[in-house]
Amino acid sequence: MNATARLEGLCRATERAVLISEALLSRLPSLPDGVEAEALGPHWLRGRSEAMVVHALSEKRRLKSPSDVSTRTDGSAERQLAVVGYAA
């Protein structure tokens, strides 16, 4: 319970909504669809004798679909689609 409270405090310090320890993350078979983990490295938490490796959980960023890109006459929309992996 203390580790959870310390992680909650670290959420404010790192400006992240959800943090999880590497120990817990390694026990999960997989993350839910649409969720990704970002390694934040080791952090010293008060009351702990060792640093805890922490990951931030967040929604995966969605690639823009062709309908999300505005159509322009200068061809920039086609170039933008090519950059994100869509054929123009």
Side-chain angles (χ1 to χ4, degrees):
M1 192 64 146
N2 284 339
T4 303
R6 303 297 182 244
L7 284 174
E8 183 181 3
L10 189 57
C11 283
R12 288 187 288 278
T14 59
E15 298 181 351
R16 305 300 174 100
V18 179
L19 297 179
I20 187 172
S21 70
E22 185 168 81
L24 180 56
L25 182 61
S26 69
R27 291 180 183 169
L28 299 175
S30 65
L31 291 173
D33 288 340
V35 176
E36 64 184 354
E38 175 189 354
L40 299 181
H43 289 270
W44 288 96
L45 303 177
R46 187 170 54 101
R48 308 273 307 179
S49 60
E50 296 180 8
M52 179 183 290
V53 179
V54 176
H55 296 263
L57 299 183
S58 62
E59 290 183 86
K60 286 184 182 177
R61 292 184 184 178
R62 184 174 70 89
L63 287 178
K64 289 187 176 188
S65 68
S67 62
D68 292 340
V69 178
S70 64
T71 306
R72 297 183 182 168
T73 58
D74 64 359
S76 63
E78 289 82 7
R79 283 192 300 279
Q80 186 175 4
L81 287 174
V83 169
V84 295
Y86 294 104

